[in-house]
């Protein structure tokens, strides 16, 4: 089944990459990985490798993105939501495709004031194996808005959203709010340094709300290739104790 899923979603990415570009602003592909460790309230730590490939197609004011993740889990915790891990399971090792997400964004821009507003809607598909702790087993949707303000050499943003989580008698998950904020500054023309904070209501009643802080360095290797390296620290038992990762983004096409 995993091989069928991989072929299916690889075909979806190829289809996106083959869409006509006559009216496109930009087409980008990204790949990355993250390693994190946390106890999530269990006596034993759980280590998670999160790897992904994604494609983003921009045709202003619209943008579409598909992300296909691959997970490797060593420990008692399981993936309960996108980026959220919950404890209370039996220690084991498992690997496979995670839950694929589809994102659509409508972008507003007030360029003289350097203010930008993104309205986002996302659907997360239950492609990960729930029994092996690689996915939620439910279709989830979310809505969010991000407001960004650029200054001379500083960029700030705030984001708020709401998740509508699939639920069942066996896994009674709860909808909830999300919040994020961040700031970045230009170190050089090619390099940015930034930090962000994120919080969301837990998917399960009485579980700790995940929250963490992240610091990152983003560097343009070339005009079309960008590297992002980051480290994170959890602020609650709903998040990993620590983690780090990197993302490589390639701009395959941009309008002149």
């Amino acid at each position: 089944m995993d091989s069928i899923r991989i072929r299916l979603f690889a075909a979806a990415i190829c289809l996106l990459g083959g869409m006509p570009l006559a009216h496109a602003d930009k087409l980008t592909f990204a790949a990355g990985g993250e390693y994190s460790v946390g106890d999530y309230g269990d006596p034993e730590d759980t280590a998670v490798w999160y790897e992904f490939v994604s494609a983003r197609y921009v045709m202003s004011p619209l943008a579409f993105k598909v992300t296909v993740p691959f997970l490797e889990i060593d420990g008692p915790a399981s993936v309960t939501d996108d980026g959220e891990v919950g404890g209370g399971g039996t220690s084991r090792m498992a690997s496979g495709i995670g839950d694929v997400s589809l994102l659509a964004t409508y972008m507003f821009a007030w360029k003289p004031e350097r203010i930008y507003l993104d309205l986002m809607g996302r659907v997360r598909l239950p492609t990960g194996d729930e029994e092996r702790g690689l996915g939620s087993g439910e279709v989830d949707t979310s809505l969010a808005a991000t407001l960004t303000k650029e200054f001379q050499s500083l960029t700030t943003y705030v984001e708020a959203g709401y998740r509508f989580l699939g639920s069942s008698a066996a896994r009674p998950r709860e909808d909830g709010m999300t919040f994020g904020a961040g700031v970045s500054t230009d170190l050089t023309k090619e390099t940015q340094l930034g930090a962000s904070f994120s919080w969301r209501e837990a998917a399960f009643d009485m579980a700790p709300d995940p929250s963490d802080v992240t610091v990152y360095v983003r560097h343009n290797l070339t005009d079309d290739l960008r590297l992002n390296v980051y480290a994170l620290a959890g602020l609650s038992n709903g998040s990993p104790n620590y983690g780090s990762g990197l993302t490589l983004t390639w701009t395959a096409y941009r309008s002149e």
Side-chain angles (χ1 to χ4, degrees):
M1 179 63 71
D2 279 344
S3 63
I4 295 174
R5 288 170 174 164
I6 291 171
R7 289 196 296 270
L8 175 62
F9 292 106
I13 289 182
C14 291
L15 178 62
L16 182 59
M19 291 175 68
L21 302 178
H23 302 290
D25 294 330
K26 186 184 292 186
L27 175 66
T28 59
F29 297 94
E34 177 184 296
Y35 177 76
S36 63
V37 176
D39 56 50
Y40 306 100
D42 289 324
E44 181 182 348
D45 286 347
T46 295
V48 178
W49 275 103
Y50 173 86
E51 301 152 2
F52 75 92
V53 293
S54 68
R56 187 170 186 261
Y57 182 82
V58 180
M59 187 173 60
S60 293
L62 290 169
F64 304 94
K65 183 178 180 181
V66 55
T67 301
V68 182
F70 185 87
L71 297 167
E72 298 178 33
I73 299 176
D74 184 5
S78 299
V79 174
T80 62
D81 188 53
D82 183 29
E84 185 173 333
V85 180
T90 302
S91 185
R92 83 280 184 238
M93 293 186 67
S95 63
I97 193 170
D99 289 346
V100 171
S101 66
L102 308 174
L103 177 70
T105 304
Y106 194 94
M107 302 173 287
F108 297 88
W110 294 268
K111 292 186 178 180
E113 295 81 10
R114 303 176 72 180
I115 296 175
Y116 307 90
L117 175 65
D118 291 348
L119 302 181
M120 297 166 287
R122 189 180 66 168
V123 177
R124 200 167 62 90
L125 306 175
T127 52
D129 191 328
E130 179 187 7
E131 294 183 359
R132 300 171 64 203
L134 300 174
S136 67
E138 304 288 343
V139 175
D140 300 329
T141 59
S142 63
L143 298 173
T146 301
L147 183 65
T148 302
K149 168 63 177 176
E150 293 180 346
F151 298 93
Q152 189 66 29
S153 59
L154 196 71
T155 300
T156 62
Y157 80 89
V158 292
E159 178 177 303
Y162 198 84
R163 303 186 301 171
F164 304 89
L165 304 181
S167 184
S168 66
R171 295 170 64 86
R173 302 162 75 224
E174 298 183 348
D175 303 341
M177 297 182 63
T178 65
F179 175 80
V183 60
S184 63
T185 186
D186 295 330
L187 297 180
T188 68
K189 185 179 179 180
E190 293 80 19
T191 306
Q192 286 183 323
L193 174 66
S196 64
F197 165 80
S198 68
W199 168 90
R200 59 187 175 274
E201 290 186 278
F204 293 94
D205 186 31
M206 304 302 292
D209 295 337
S211 62
D212 56 66
V213 291
T214 301
V215 294
Y216 66 87
V217 176
R218 183 180 298 148
H219 181 71
N220 295 328
L221 300 173
T222 69
D223 289 342
D224 298 324
L225 199 61
R226 185 178 68 202
L227 176 66
N228 185 58
V229 180
Y230 63 91
L232 64 88
L235 303 177
S236 76
N237 278 338
S239 296
N241 297 340
Y242 61 87
S244 62
L246 61 84
T247 301
L248 191 65
T249 304
W250 171 52
T251 301
Y253 170 86
R254 62 163 56 89
S255 61
E256 298 297 335

